Amino acid sequence: MKLSARLQLIADWLPSGCRFADIGSDHGLLPVSAVQSGKAVFAIAGEVNDGPLEAARRQVAVAGEGARISVRKGNGLAVVASGEVDAITIAGMGGALIVTILGEGKDKLEGVKRLVLQPNVGGEFVRRWLLDHDWYLAKEAILEEDGKIYEVMMAERPSDAARQNEELYQERDIPGSKLQLTKDLLLMMGPHLTTQPNTAFVAKWNSEMEKLEKIRLSLVASDLEASRKKEAELARLAGQLKEVLACLPKVKP
């Protein structure tokens, strides 16, 4: 089965021979591909909406994988029994929603060794949640596909997660700049992504700076003290992002 580049990357980052749950599975493409390729021995395709749920059931039936893929209706990790899977994928939704799903289903994460997450927006929320709950962000990637930019994150839970996270988010100097990559900037932009920025990374942050400028300009005419403070804050952030982009290592395709 041919997957999109985004879904293929998620599949590639699954542990070999895993039992995983794909939350918000949509048409069930990822579970079908993962079991047929041998990457997974069992998968749960979880969906809360009837349309995608039925599409996933059809996909699994056509593929003849009903014995290895369980299609279940439910909200978030409610479709998973404790100890049933050792990996979880959540893709194609906002970072805030991903964090809500993980938080509300935290008891289902016992025994889970890997999370592969793909927030459409709000990657910072996901990184903060992982850090706060002793998950180590082992890998991250950013890619552009069909005019959209996607971030993919892979997290694990080693015994020394606190130490590894401290190293990962340690403040860094930027060659050629007095500005440092602070913990907040690393959480926002990605501690791995900032080490080898590619064209998708640069495109994303140029777009984010444009959005910040539009918001800032909308605040200029306001006489409210809160608006002036917010405008100054946005201007400062935009300036930091601009300097980071200018001084990071040469962009790689």
Side-chain angles (χ1 to χ4, degrees), residues 51-123:
L53 182 75
E54 290 306 316
R57 283 176 175 157
R58 288 193 299 270
Q59 184 73 45
V60 171
V62 169
E65 293 293 352
R68 295 195 291 176
I69 301 174
S70 177
V71 182
R72 304 176 186 177
K73 182 176 182 180
N75 190 24
L77 296 179
V79 300
V80 182
S82 295
E84 191 175 17
V85 298
D86 52 31
I88 290 172
T89 58
I90 311 177
M93 57 189 79
L97 180 53
I98 290 176
V99 164
T100 297
I101 289 171
L102 292 172
E104 291 180 349
K106 196 160 55 172
D107 59 317
K108 305 295 180 68
L109 298 179
E110 290 299 323
V112 173
K113 299 175 182 177
R114 185 171 297 180
L115 301 173
V116 186
L117 310 170
Q118 184 265 297
N120 286 345
V121 294

Side-chain angles (χ1 to χ4, degrees), residues 13-225:
W13 283 2
L14 285 169
S16 294
C18 68
R19 300 172 62 87
F20 82 103
D22 185 33
I23 305 304
S25 193
D26 199 13
H27 288 63
L29 296 175
L30 179 60
V32 170
S33 176
V35 297
Q36 289 188 335
S37 70
K39 192 73 171 181
V41 298
F42 171 77
I44 296 169
E47 255 301 337
V48 70
N49 296 311
D50 289 332
L53 182 75
E54 290 306 316
R57 283 176 175 157
R58 288 193 299 270
Q59 184 73 45
V60 171
V62 169
E65 293 293 352
R68 295 195 291 176
I69 301 174
S70 177
V71 182
R72 304 176 186 177
K73 182 176 182 180
N75 190 24
L77 296 179
V79 300
V80 182
S82 295
E84 191 175 17
V85 298
D86 52 31
I88 290 172
T89 58
I90 311 177
M93 57 189 79
L97 180 53
I98 290 176
V99 164
T100 297
I101 289 171
L102 292 172
E104 291 180 349
K106 196 160 55 172
D107 59 317
K108 305 295 180 68
L109 298 179
E110 290 299 323
V112 173
K113 299 175 182 177
R114 185 171 297 180
L115 301 173
V116 186
L117 310 170
Q118 184 265 297
N120 286 345
V121 294
E124 177 184 357
F125 299 131
V126 178
R127 293 187 188 96
R128 285 188 182 277
W129 189 93
L130 294 171
L131 177 62
D132 291 343
H133 292 85
D134 291 325
W135 285 86
Y136 174 66
L137 181 63
K139 288 184 182 181
E140 54 185 351
I142 186 167
L143 67 154
E144 185 170 359
E145 187 172 42
D146 298 330
K148 295 182 180 179
I149 294 175
Y150 300 102
E151 290 182 342
V152 184
M153 306 173 189
M154 188 262 273
E156 297 179 330
R157 209 169 193 177
S159 58
D160 62 343
R163 180 191 63 79
Q164 292 194 54
N165 276 325
E166 186 176 352
E167 291 179 3
L168 184 63
Y169 290 104
Q170 188 170 12
E171 220 169 64
R172 307 174 193 168
D173 291 329
I174 306 174
S177 171
K178 294 181 180 179
L179 179 70
Q180 286 188 312
L181 274 173
T182 62
K183 181 178 179 180
D184 283 343
L185 282 172
L186 291 170
L187 283 163
M188 182 185 300
M189 303 181 80
H192 298 292
L193 299 181
T194 51
T195 61
Q196 291 186 323
N198 60 13
T199 53
F201 178 88
V202 173
K204 171 188 167 67
W205 288 105
N206 280 330
S207 175
E208 291 299 319
M209 286 191 291
E210 289 177 7
K211 292 175 187 176
L212 288 175
E213 181 63 9
K214 287 179 181 177
I215 297 171
R216 188 191 70 80
L217 290 174
S218 72
L219 296 170
V220 169
S222 175
D223 293 327
L224 295 174
E225 179 66 20

